[in-house]
Amino acid sequence: MTDDTTALHFSPGPLAFRDLLHAQRVWDTELPSFDPESAPSAPAPLFHAWFAEAFAAGQPEPHAMSLATADAEGLPDVRTLLLHDADERGFHFATHATSAKGHQLAARPHAALGFYWPAQGRQVRVRGPVVRCTPAESHADLHARSTGALAAALTGSQSEVVGSVAELHRAADAAWDRARAEPETEAPTWTRYVVEPAEVEFFQGDARRRHIRLRYRRPEAGGWTRELLWP
């Protein structure tokens, strides 16, 4: 028998939810200014600067990002994962090639990324083709991370159905034991990817809704074009 009081506490009705939703404040802090005229000629230096500023402002997990892909039917899919690097090649992340996103990228090697740093009212959006790194780069990526990351990579078959939480726990415990005992062990399907940006947009929020949107586009001929967009 369900305790109605407890259920109400954890599952507010539609009206209570909307009241809660509409009571939320956006950017309830002083936001930095952004002069697009002072932006560098390429997006990577600006991304590095904004990332450092987000970290300095106390933004939790500034390396967390949304990765959007498309499945075999062309339907969108999205999830949150961690950025592994951002350099002249592009934006790096890693996953199992046999995961859902790995299969999607094999069939349609394009993706979009989204970073949101509410501590400064900033977003960064990235779109472009995705390439697989070499096996050596993927191995180095995995073993540059923590024991827990290696254990996670060794646990089960990502995105496949698991029979129970108990089965998951048994596999995770075994993976942790192996990761500790064999820190150089391979996870053969672990793959590092790079989103090679064709477009990068920087969004600076403004309390008076005079948001600044600066988009970098890279034509096939090379180089970057900067464009200021209406918010």
Side-chain angles (χ1 to χ4, degrees):
M1 183 173 178
T2 302
D3 183 332
D4 291 339
T5 302
T6 303
L8 250 174
H9 177 72
F10 290 103
S11 302
L15 182 59
F17 168 75
R18 284 192 291 271
D19 289 343
L20 182 62
L21 182 65
H22 296 159
Q24 302 308 303
R25 295 182 60 84
V26 178
W27 306 324
D28 193 13
T29 184
E30 185 175 348
L31 299 179
S33 60
F34 172 49
D35 178 9
E37 294 296 325
S38 67
S41 59
L46 183 55
F47 181 84
H48 292 162
W50 275 27
F51 184 91
E53 290 168 13
F55 175 80
Q59 176 63 55
E61 298 183 352
H63 58 327
M65 63 185 186
S66 298
L67 168 69
T69 53
D71 66 15
E73 288 72 43
L75 299 175
D77 201 356
V78 68
R79 73 288 290 163
T80 300
L81 67 170
L82 300 180
L83 179 71
H84 287 202
D85 198 2
D87 58 17
E88 65 281 354
R89 293 171 62 188
F91 295 79
H92 300 237
F93 66 93
T95 187
H96 290 283
T98 51
S99 67
K101 52 187 172 294
H103 286 304
Q104 291 167 0
L105 289 170
R108 296 172 180 267
H110 286 78
L113 305 175
F115 297 85
Y116 179 46
W117 300 319
Q120 295 204 301
R122 287 176 170 172
Q123 299 182 58
V124 180
R125 299 169 59 224
V126 181
R127 299 174 68 200
V130 180
V131 298
R132 290 177 62 153
C133 294
T134 65
E137 288 175 303
S138 297
H139 175 85
D141 175 273
L142 181 59
H143 292 91
R145 303 177 71 208
S146 65
T147 301
L150 176 59
L154 296 171
T155 301
S157 300
Q158 190 177 43
S159 302
E160 294 187 8
V161 175
V162 63
S164 66
V165 173
E167 180 182 349
L168 169 63
H169 286 181
R170 286 194 297 271
D173 289 345
W176 270 94
D177 290 343
R178 185 180 178 193
R180 293 189 184 102
E182 305 172 41
E184 289 300 313
T185 192
E186 295 284 354
T189 61
W190 186 258
T191 304
R192 183 161 172 144
Y193 295 87
V194 183
V195 179
E196 297 181 335
E199 295 182 8
V200 184
E201 181 187 317
F202 294 83
F203 173 101
Q204 174 62 69
D206 178 82
R208 295 180 61 187
R209 302 301 190 264
R210 301 167 301 182
H211 313 312
I212 300 296
R213 293 176 61 190
L214 179 65
R215 180 173 65 188
Y216 290 80
R217 286 192 303 109
R218 180 157 53 187
E220 292 183 6
W224 289 98
T225 298
R226 294 187 308 173
E227 301 166 320
L228 193 60
L229 306 178
W230 284 99

